Amino acid sequence: MTSKERSYLKGLASKLTSIVQIGKQGLTPDITAAVDEALEARELIKVSVLNNCDEDIREMAERIKERTHSEIILVIGSKIVFYRKSKKKPIIDMSGCK
């Protein structure tokens, strides 16, 4: 992914609300499945990590990335933004980022 593409996606993500929240149970298989489904439907999603979660946010982001075959666009504070192009219905056009 190029820096222009990443910058474009960061701009789009600034308007998003969190779709998935990770709480005190941490990263469970259900959370991973929810992120995977949301990525297929929306391509770009924001995940919130609640204060009562004891896991390291960056390590969690890496594990989600590996399990969902997505890209980490941004980790800031308690928010993580992921992107993965949809296999069925691509929504985000990044042709202008080349």
Side-chain angles (χ1 to χ4, degrees), residues 16-70:
L16 295 178
T17 57
S18 295
I19 304 259
V20 177
Q21 292 184 337
I22 301 173
K24 69 179 180 179
Q25 293 185 344
L27 186 58
T28 64
D30 290 338
I31 296 287
T32 304
V35 169
D36 195 47
E37 289 174 22
L39 282 167
E40 183 57 38
R42 301 174 185 235
E43 294 186 323
L44 185 68
I45 65 164
K46 190 180 283 186
V47 175
S48 288
V49 180
L50 302 178
N51 291 335
N52 60 357
C53 181
D54 293 332
E55 295 185 48
D56 181 69
I57 191 166
R58 293 193 185 278
E59 289 176 12
M60 229 183 325
E62 283 297 325
R63 282 187 294 169
I64 293 171
K65 172 188 167 183
E66 291 170 9
R67 293 176 186 175
T68 61
H69 307 287
S70 60

Side-chain angles (χ1 to χ4, degrees), residues 46-47 49 57-58 72-81:
K46 190 180 283 186
V47 175
V49 180
I57 191 166
R58 293 193 185 278
I72 300 169
I73 301 305
L74 181 67
V75 177
I76 187 164
S78 63
K79 308 283 188 218
I80 312 168
V81 177

